[in-house]
């Protein structure tokens, strides 16, 4: 269980690091675009991302990861 958690956190850090390393200006533009959205829209985006993440973890575990 701890191995899976460490793997997941490591993968998140890799993806986050790639965004900062390869496209910092794009990240700034995305953050500015987020400020134009309402709090409810940002919350809905977060819930959708959460649901997709849970579905992906479930699928990975079901497939034997």
């Amino acid at each position: 269980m701890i191995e899976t958690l460490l793997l997941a956190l490591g993968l998140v850090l890799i993806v986050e690091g790639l965004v900062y390393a390869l496209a910092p200006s794009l990240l700034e533009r995305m953050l500015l675009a987020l400020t134009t959205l309402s709090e409810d829209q940002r919350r809905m985006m977060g819930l959708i991302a959460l649901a997709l993440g849970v579905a992906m973890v479930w699928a990975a575990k079901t497939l034997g990861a």
Side-chain angles (χ1 to χ4, degrees):
M1 175 70 177
I2 191 73
E3 299 88 4
T4 305
L5 180 63
L6 288 174
L7 176 64
L9 289 174
L11 289 171
V12 167
L13 289 174
I14 289 170
V15 171
E16 289 285 330
L18 280 173
V19 172
Y20 283 103
L22 298 177
S25 62
L26 176 62
L27 182 63
E28 287 180 19
R29 289 195 311 256
M30 286 175 33
L31 289 173
L32 285 174
L34 279 174
T35 62
T36 65
L37 298 175
S38 71
E39 185 176 316
D40 288 337
Q41 289 172 316
R42 292 190 306 259
R43 182 172 285 121
M44 185 56 65
M45 287 175 56
L47 289 172
I48 290 169
L50 174 68
L52 285 172
V54 168
M56 290 172 74
V57 168
W58 175 81
K61 292 304 261 182
T62 300
L63 294 171

